[in-house]
Amino acid sequence: MKSYLTGVFLFGLIIYIGASGGCASTEQVKGDVANGKKVYGQYCVLCHGDNGKMQLNGAKDITVSELTFELRLTLIKDGKNLMTPFDGILSESEIQDVAAYSMTLKP
Ligand code: HEC
């Protein structure tokens, strides 16, 4: 069993999102997909499975997700319902990488 110590880190990153989320019109996917894949294998497969389709703990099928890159960053940081907030567990760049990787799961 793991317990996730996240709460303290939320503030800083929320401010960061506020400061960096300027232009919503063009979708900017940045991040190292290869590294994102590693992060995914460590932290996301538990609920989403290798291919993103496993739906353990009420997880959604990532391959059909319509979420934009920006929204994924926020989701991964803040979590949602049973999804773990990864703020403080993953670094800013790891979150970017894994979000970028998650975009590639879409067929
Ligand atoms: C503890 C289980 C769990 C883990 C670990 C987990 N997720 Fe999730 N994930 C969920 C659940 C539950 C949802 C659905 C949240 C909701 O909308 O109710 C979800 C939703 C999502 C969605 C949104 C799909 C959509 O269209 O709404 C994405 C993208 C996602 N997860 C990516 C990730 C990534 C990337 C990781 C690893 C950093 C990860 N998840 C780790 C449980 C998990």
Side-chain angles (χ1 to χ4, degrees):
M1 290 301 256
K2 263 188 190 166
S3 74
Y4 296 107
L5 304 166
T6 53
V8 192
F9 296 96
L10 279 174
F11 281 114
L13 281 164
I14 286 168
I15 290 162
Y16 178 85
I17 299 167
S20 65
C23 172
S25 59
T26 46
E27 169 108 292
Q28 291 179 313
V29 180
K30 37 183 181 180
D32 177 346
V33 172
N35 187 52
K37 186 172 181 170
K38 281 190 225 154
V39 175
Y40 185 91
Q42 246 181 306
Y43 295 96
C44 317
V45 283
L46 297 172
C47 299
H48 291 287
D50 259 347
N51 54 10
K53 287 179 182 289
M54 194 169 80
Q55 295 169 47
L56 208 71
N57 287 322
K60 292 198 175 153
D61 183 343
I62 298 180
T63 64
V64 299
S65 175
E66 298 292 336
L67 286 188
T68 63
F69 181 64
E70 287 294 322
L71 287 172
R72 286 171 197 228
L73 292 179
T74 310
L75 172 88
I76 295 166
K77 281 176 197 167
D78 297 346
K80 192 174 172 191
N81 297 321
L82 286 174
M83 179 157 160
T84 322
F86 286 94
D87 200 358
I89 297 173
L90 297 175
S91 72
E92 191 68 33
S93 71
E94 284 171 327
I95 289 173
Q96 253 179 27
D97 294 350
V98 79
Y101 174 69
S102 79
M103 302 293 286
T104 70
L105 292 173
K106 219 169 167 169

